[in-house]
Amino acid sequence: MNTYNNPVLERLPRHLNRYVVEQNYARYSAIDQAIWRYVMRQNYAYLKDVAYYPYIPGLKIAGLSIERIPDLQLMNDSLKKIGWGAVTVDGFIPPAAFMEFQANCVLVIAADIRQIDHITYTPAPDIIHESSGHAPIIGEPEYADYLQYFGEIGSKAMSSAKDFEVYEAIRNLSILKESEEATEDEIKAASQHLDDVVASVGEPSEMSLLSRLHWWTVEYGLIGTVDNYKIYGAGLLSSIGESATCLKDDVKKLPYSMDAINYAYDITKPQPQLFVAKDFHEAYRVLDEFASGMAFKKGGKLGVDRAIESANVCTAVYSSGLEVSGTFVPFVSDEELIGVKTQGPTALAYQGKQLEGHGKSYHKDGFSSPVGRLLGQKNALEDCNLEELEQLGISLNQPASLYFKSGILVRGQVKDLLFKDKKLLIITFEDCTVIHEPSKQVLFQPEWGNYDMAIGEEIVSVYAGAADKYAFEPEVKITDLKTEKASISSETSVLQEIYSSLRSIREDKPAKETLYDLYEKLKNCYASDWLAMIEIYELSIHYDFTELSSFVEDVLYKKIETHPELEKLINDGMHLAKTQPINLELS
């Protein structure tokens, strides 16, 4: 992965690199550049009055310009000064991975850019949304802290087995809607599939609920009061359509609170309501309130049950500090948590570092161990020193018999005692038998090998993912769906040349054809195009070609008559051509 000479990216956990793709700047066509320029000119002119105040200076801080699609190297040169970085990815990535990037102060930027037909809003993430929406607000320290903190919380959130199906369905629909070759029937079928998957989800997971808080703040948040607010959500800042329509009275404004988790959202449609946070402290407070009920805060049976339901790699943390990472399954049927069990590759860690000899290759078939206190024992086993262990009949190379209050009996010869920071983490037994006496269920037999018993009276935290992600490298599902640009036809290739010539003229570089020639070619051969005609209009005004500007204006008004859906786009473009310099500079 290209680290763009940014120390933030050099520290990125290596398992996240699987999502990173090269930006490949040459992929952006002249039309793509014109789409970026149009959106950014509109944003600069409009958002300076309605966006949260750091937005405009934030564009410069983030290394963005009005004229060109951002180069990730230049963005990273700017972002690293405020402790952030940026990488490009292929469209949607799983929410857990997105959150982990955010926790590591890395902005995830979709490398693709929207079609001209979706210039006002795209259901798919693109470089306009990610860079011009998210990056500029990073320059506001309170917001940057909130974003990074949200990533930390989100990276611990449990996902359900159904969440990946929803993610796949959303990604598929957004790709089709942004594809030039997708048919109406394909889009309709994908939309119905998404509806069917969402309807089958049932109780939303931690990640699903947390994603709603993320949506109603980071993506679609307003700040201030319900009567006097500014835009700060990236989804609004990057949509020249919704940034205007969201301010209308028919879009309900609600005070931001925990109640936001009860509002699902449809990423493919404009939002019917928005939430207004008083400030970022309020957003923090709501996030903390939600986090207090999450498995990583609660631990215990609730946490382990959520890990089992998720069917993904999770980590359970014992009160001793021992961390068990794997795919959790039911242990012994009981109303209380008396033990944990995983199936498949499992690793044990302490303070986020895998314990030597306890990686996935050693615990390849899973792991199980009791949780709780020994019967009649006053002190927690994890707090006992060697002398106190001997008093309990636990000595190296000696037989021991441990009986838990839960009714679990562990009997075998003590082979090893593992301590960390004066805490007993693991007792390893040879020739060991483990039985849950109330049910007569055998949990471990001598022929299975050595038995590593985790030590800890409680499970104090349970969270998504592995404790040591560098060592564990979980088998994250990666979609096979890829965003792909349609091949350029010869007709489109000529239109691209027109856009390239217009850029050359605007930059005072030699062009093969004059502005008049380009106008005639565009009018006669590309009657459906409006954006290049807007650029010709800008240039004709800039160079005082009064006759040409009059011709272009007539053509544009006729386009509005035949295509009323373009009225706002064309009128806004013409207005800026008359009122703003042709090359806007950020200040």
Side-chain angles (χ1 to χ4, degrees):
M1 184 192 79
N2 188 341
T3 59
Y4 300 106
N5 192 30
N6 186 334
V8 177
L9 300 185
E10 293 167 7
R11 296 192 297 267
L12 193 66
R14 64 188 179 202
H15 68 276
L16 291 176
N17 289 339
R18 73 188 73 206
Y19 299 104
V20 179
V21 299
E22 290 295 327
Q23 184 184 21
N24 185 17
Y25 198 86
R27 71 187 302 196
Y28 304 119
S29 68
I31 295 177
D32 292 334
Q33 294 285 0
I35 290 170
W36 169 272
R37 178 176 178 273
Y38 178 90
V39 172
M40 292 304 293
R41 280 174 65 84
Q42 294 296 329
N43 281 351
Y44 184 79
Y46 173 67
L47 291 176
K48 67 179 185 294
D49 297 320
V50 299
Y52 184 57
Y53 77 91
Y55 178 77
I56 296 300
L59 290 169
K60 192 170 184 178
I61 291 173
L64 302 178
S65 77
I66 303 293
E67 290 294 313
R68 279 185 170 76
I69 293 171
D71 182 316
L72 261 287
Q73 179 62 66
L74 297 178
M75 281 193 72
N76 274 289
D77 289 344
S78 296
L79 288 172
K80 70 182 180 182
K81 297 174 184 177
I82 56 174
W84 281 74
V87 296
T88 42
V89 299
D90 182 48
F92 279 112
I93 63 174
F98 181 90
M99 291 291 183
E100 196 172 350
F101 275 108
Q102 199 167 289
N104 285 277
C105 298
V106 174
L107 286 176
V108 175
I109 296 178
D112 210 353
I113 188 167
R114 65 194 65 180
Q115 297 178 54
I116 191 170
D117 290 345
H118 296 154
I119 196 168
T120 59
Y121 172 82
T122 174
D126 77 332
I127 197 164
I128 293 178
H129 167 74
E130 309 291 357
S131 58
S132 73
H134 287 290
I137 310 298
I138 297 293
E140 167 59 35
E142 286 187 358
Y143 176 79
D145 289 345
Y146 173 71
L147 196 63
Q148 191 268 338
Y149 180 53
F150 206 120
E152 289 182 359
I153 301 297
S155 63
K156 297 179 184 298
M158 298 285 187
S159 296
S160 71
K162 278 285 185 181
D163 284 345
F164 189 75
E165 289 184 45
V166 174
Y167 153 72
E168 283 275 74
I170 291 175
R171 180 179 168 85
N172 182 46
L173 177 59
S174 67
I175 289 173
L176 286 173
K177 282 193 169 185
E178 192 58 36
S179 170
E180 297 173 2
E181 299 178 339
T183 66
E184 286 298 320
D185 287 343
E186 287 176 325
I187 293 172
K188 185 177 179 181
S191 181
Q192 183 60 55
H193 175 63
L194 174 58
D195 290 343
D196 293 342
V197 171
V198 170
S200 69
V201 167
E203 193 70 21
S205 67
E206 285 183 350
M207 180 61 82
S208 179
L209 293 175
L210 194 63
S211 294
R212 294 178 186 179
L213 295 185
H214 194 271
W215 184 263
W216 299 124
T217 57
V218 174
E219 295 291 353
Y220 275 76
L222 304 174
I223 193 164
T225 68
V226 292
D227 299 315
N228 184 20
Y229 48 80
K230 296 287 186 181
I231 296 171
Y232 76 91
L236 297 173
L237 293 174
S238 61
S239 170
I240 56 175
E242 206 164 358
S243 61
T245 59
C246 78
L247 303 180
K248 294 181 178 179
D249 291 340
D250 58 348
V251 178
K252 193 173 183 180
K253 312 304 185 300
L254 302 172
Y256 184 61
S257 70
M258 268 285 286
D259 188 47
I261 65 171
N262 298 316
Y263 288 77
Y265 57 88
D266 185 341
I267 195 170
T268 67
K269 298 176 182 176
Q271 306 309 309
Q273 76 283 310
L274 297 173
F275 291 86
V276 187
K278 289 189 297 185
D279 49 35
F280 292 123
H281 294 291
E282 178 72 7
Y284 258 104
R285 186 195 64 74
V286 172
L287 181 56
D288 276 333
E289 184 181 350
F290 179 82
S292 66
M294 291 174 63
F296 87 97
K297 291 278 192 179
K298 289 287 191 181
K301 181 172 171 56
L302 176 145
V304 174
D305 285 347
R306 287 184 184 174
I308 294 169
E309 291 168 7
S310 79
N312 292 311
V313 172
C314 296
T315 296
V317 184
Y318 277 78
S319 49
S320 63
L322 179 68
E323 299 157 330
V324 180
S325 300
T327 303
F328 286 79
V329 294
F331 179 68
V332 174
S333 180
D334 201 286
E335 292 184 1
E336 296 181 9
L337 180 66
I338 63 172
V340 296
K341 183 179 181 180
T342 65
Q343 66 178 12
T346 302
L348 308 184
Y350 179 72
Q351 293 185 348
K353 297 295 182 183
Q354 184 171 293
L355 294 172
E356 186 176 353
H358 288 283
K360 292 194 301 180
S361 59
Y362 179 67
H363 297 290
K364 63 182 186 301
D365 298 319
F367 179 85
S368 68
S369 187
V371 174
R373 180 169 291 206
L374 297 179
L375 185 65
Q377 183 189 355
K378 293 181 180 180
N379 298 325
L381 194 57
E382 61 253 42
D383 293 327
C384 292
N385 56 31
L386 287 174
E387 182 179 344
E388 291 167 328
L389 289 174
E390 287 179 4
Q391 292 174 2
L392 294 172
I394 303 171
S395 300
L396 282 173
N397 303 316
Q398 296 298 317
S401 182
L402 307 182
Y403 193 78
F404 286 79
K405 291 175 66 176
S406 62
I408 293 176
L409 174 63
V410 179
R411 182 179 291 141
Q413 182 157 308
V414 178
K415 181 183 179 182
D416 193 20
L417 301 169
L418 179 61
F419 288 88
K420 290 286 184 181
D421 299 327
K422 297 183 180 180
K423 289 282 189 178
L424 178 62
L425 302 186
I426 300 172
I427 301 178
T428 300
F429 294 90
E430 291 179 312
D431 192 25
C432 185
T433 300
V434 182
I435 299 174
H436 180 238
E437 290 200 330
S439 65
K440 307 301 181 186
Q441 186 174 345
V442 177
L443 305 177
F444 196 89
Q445 300 181 84
E447 55 266 32
W448 296 354
N450 292 338
Y451 180 67
D452 297 294
M453 189 180 81
I455 306 300
E457 292 195 347
E458 299 176 280
I459 298 297
V460 296
S461 178
V462 185
Y463 56 86
D468 187 342
K469 292 179 171 63
Y470 289 94
F472 198 92
E473 294 186 348
E475 300 292 332
V476 178
K477 294 180 181 177
I478 303 177
T479 178
D480 293 327
L481 295 168
K482 303 296 180 185
T483 58
E484 295 181 358
K485 283 272 190 182
S487 57
I488 298 176
S489 66
S490 57
E491 182 182 355
T492 304
S493 178
V494 175
L495 182 59
Q496 297 278 16
E497 290 176 7
I498 293 175
Y499 275 90
S500 294
S501 296
L502 290 172
R503 178 172 287 274
S504 294
I505 293 172
R506 190 167 60 251
E507 295 175 349
D508 293 325
K509 296 176 182 176
K512 293 181 181 179
E513 299 169 287
T514 69
L515 203 54
Y516 282 89
D517 292 335
L518 294 171
Y519 162 72
E520 289 293 338
K521 184 182 290 187
L522 196 65
K523 184 183 70 170
N524 295 328
C525 302
Y526 300 97
S528 62
D529 182 274
W530 61 271
L531 182 54
M533 198 63 80
I534 288 289
E535 294 203 354
I536 291 176
Y537 188 62
E538 291 175 2
L539 288 163
S540 65
I541 292 174
H542 176 72
Y543 287 110
D544 291 325
F545 295 161
T546 306
E547 184 180 43
L548 178 58
S549 65
S550 179
F551 291 158
V552 176
E553 196 169 288
D554 287 342
V555 170
L556 288 171
Y557 281 134
K558 286 177 182 177
K559 284 185 185 295
I560 292 174
E561 291 176 5
T562 55
H563 298 281
E565 72 278 5
L566 297 177
E567 180 176 7
K568 186 176 189 310
L569 289 169
I570 291 174
N571 282 336
D572 287 350
M574 292 172 67
H575 174 73
L576 286 190
K578 296 172 183 175
T579 60
Q580 298 290 339
I582 197 165
N583 292 311
L584 284 173
E585 294 295 332
L586 292 172
S587 58

